[in-house]
Amino acid sequence: MDIWSLNLRHLRAAAKIAELGTVNAAAIAVNLSQPAITQALGRLEMQLGASLFERRHDGMIPTQAGEILAPRIEAALAHIRSPHVTMSRLRAMLALAETGSYAGASQETGLSLPSIHRAVSDLALALRRPLVVRRGKFVITTEAGTQLAREFRLAQVELEAGLSEVAALRGHETRRISIGAMPLSRARILPAAVARFLARRPQVRLTIVEGSRAELVEPLRNGTLDVMVGALRDPLVETDLVQQPLFDDVPAFFARSGHPLAGTAPQAADMARYPFTLPPHGAPLRDSFERYFAARGLALPLVPVECGSVMMIRQVMMGGDFLALLSPDQVQVEIEAGWLSELARLPGEFARTIGMTTRASLRPTEVQAEFFADLETAARDVGVKA
């Protein structure tokens, strides 16, 4: 089942029962009558196909399903914050922010155009702030609308995680992990972790999205991705994210086989005479490149081609005398094939830290925690083999 058939007020009631221990106390807390909250709980349990509480004379005791779902509901409500938000308003706002038009939101959700208009307008009125503005045929979210959509997306993630874990208790594996893969992670650590994880959990769905950090960081922050694996940032500017180091990587300078510098053990001044292809400014490799030459009192080499794709970098190097600064892991196949030649390793102080980045608010599901542990194991293996 998806979350859209659920009622936020009923979910709030279930969370209060878990917190306070009785239907009567929960009814007072959510401003519902005792019969209404009992009926709401019954409907919710019927939808889930699982009992959330054991009914006892001295109160309500959460079942395993209740212990899983209640914290997820609390986390979702913490993102939603306002009691004026209903599930239909949440869904309409998310769809409008993602599609950029009322027609697109209607098509995505199956709701009528008037329903989308009314839901977003009522939400803006209840929150007392404009959420979207029109730009011709399209609508764009205001600053408040963008932030609200992000919070709503994180609430959706929490509820979906809760439903999937309750379904897993009944033998229906619906859990999934979305992974953002930065260039270096795709070389060894991520494939090793995926293989290890799927050997135990073949029914869990993994979605791997490749890209640079700039392309992956917003999907991570808004809940589309669960984890991002690659070079860490120091300092980390996004206060809603946290980083966990996995291993240190020492980059090296590379050239095509047959390059004038290949096999010559070149010095920094020798390499500075040639053009480079590198990731854009702000990437750890680019920072290491600039610090390396600056520390030796040399003018920075020309960088006519900025690119983060190893495949593209390889082709640029093969077609001329370009040099590149890369992790040996990233071009292991090219080295073994004899296409590229390592010129020199950076000194150890230029090592970059590879790790995983998650939202600070993330409460890992059971399978997410297992996958993170597999990433740590794969990283240890990389360190042993390096």
Side-chain angles (χ1 to χ4, degrees):
M1 65 177 294
D2 61 40
I3 68 170
W4 307 120
S5 60
L6 301 176
N7 183 300
L8 276 179
R9 202 173 188 188
H10 295 173
L11 292 174
R12 186 177 285 107
K16 282 298 179 184
I17 293 173
E19 177 189 351
L20 301 175
T22 68
V23 170
N24 186 52
I28 295 171
V30 298
N31 196 28
L32 284 173
S33 67
Q34 190 166 333
I37 203 170
T38 301
Q39 184 179 16
L41 177 59
R43 180 181 176 188
L44 178 58
E45 290 179 323
M46 183 177 64
Q47 288 176 293
L48 296 172
S51 295
L52 297 178
F53 300 93
E54 293 180 23
R55 279 75 167 169
R56 298 183 181 179
H57 70 279
D58 58 345
M60 304 283 278
I61 306 300
T63 62
Q64 187 177 3
E67 290 177 346
I68 288 173
L69 190 59
R72 293 291 178 187
I73 296 172
E74 292 284 4
L77 294 175
H79 285 296
I80 293 171
R81 291 194 288 272
S82 172
H84 298 294
V85 177
T86 63
M87 195 64 82
S88 60
R89 291 176 180 179
L90 187 151
R91 188 182 189 187
M93 183 64 201
L94 271 178
L96 187 59
E98 290 169 1
T99 63
S101 72
Y102 286 98
S106 176
Q107 184 175 6
E108 180 171 303
T109 61
L111 301 174
S112 67
L113 276 173
S115 295
I116 298 288
H117 275 280
R118 182 169 58 253
V120 175
S121 297
D122 289 348
L123 186 59
L125 185 63
L127 299 179
R128 299 181 181 179
R129 49 185 170 171
L131 301 176
V132 296
V133 292
R134 281 194 173 276
R135 292 289 186 271
K137 295 181 180 180
F138 300 96
V139 294
I140 61 173
T141 53
T142 63
E143 183 177 350
T146 298
Q147 181 60 34
L148 188 68
R150 172 179 289 171
E151 295 293 340
F152 281 5
R153 172 60 182 158
L154 294 177
Q156 179 186 357
V157 168
E158 291 287 354
L159 293 177
E160 287 176 343
L163 292 187
S164 68
E165 293 212 293
V166 169
L169 290 178
R170 298 171 18 241
H172 303 295
E173 187 61 82
T174 62
R175 292 176 287 191
R176 65 186 67 195
I177 304 173
S178 297
I179 307 153
M182 293 161 65
L184 179 57
S185 70
R186 303 195 289 266
R188 272 202 292 172
I189 179 176
L190 189 53
V194 167
R196 183 183 180 89
F197 177 80
L198 289 180
R200 294 191 320 277
R201 296 281 195 172
Q203 301 304 316
V204 176
R205 294 180 57 188
L206 300 183
T207 301
I208 300 174
V209 180
E210 299 183 4
S212 66
R213 188 183 192 279
E215 295 168 323
L216 299 175
V217 69
E218 282 307 311
L220 176 67
R221 297 179 73 193
N222 68 27
T224 304
L225 297 175
D226 300 311
V227 62
M228 181 170 64
V229 187
L232 302 185
R233 294 304 191 263
D234 184 17
L236 176 66
V237 298
E238 297 89 1
T239 57
D240 56 338
L241 300 181
V242 293
Q243 299 181 142
Q244 179 177 334
L246 293 173
F247 67 97
D248 288 333
D249 173 72
V250 181
F253 293 100
F254 288 90
R256 63 173 173 81
S257 295
H259 189 283
L261 293 182
T264 66
Q267 301 298 308
D270 301 320
M271 294 185 288
R273 298 199 304 268
Y274 289 90
F276 276 74
T277 173
L278 294 166
H281 288 285
L285 269 180
R286 186 63 173 267
D287 294 341
S288 296
F289 164 83
E290 294 177 355
R291 288 191 294 115
Y292 174 79
F293 286 100
R296 284 148 185 77
L298 297 170
L300 292 179
L302 295 176
V303 186
V305 179
E306 291 188 343
C307 180
S309 165
V310 174
M311 182 181 296
M312 182 62 71
I313 289 173
R314 180 193 69 200
Q315 293 307 113
V316 170
M317 295 169 70
M318 297 293 290
D321 287 340
F322 277 79
L323 304 181
L325 183 63
L326 296 163
S327 165
D329 275 350
Q330 290 179 279
V331 288
Q332 185 176 3
V333 173
E334 287 82 356
I335 295 171
E336 292 174 354
W339 299 340
L340 298 182
S341 176
E342 182 177 322
L343 302 179
R345 292 260 174 138
L346 283 182
E349 64 264 27
F350 290 96
R352 54 181 178 161
T353 301
I354 309 303
M356 55 184 175
T357 305
T358 59
R359 294 181 300 280
S361 63
L362 179 70
R363 299 176 64 257
T365 64
E366 178 186 2
V367 295
Q368 287 171 343
E370 285 188 23
F371 181 73
F372 296 164
D374 286 334
L375 280 172
E376 294 173 0
T377 299
R380 285 195 296 270
D381 291 344
V382 167
V384 169
K385 296 174 184 176

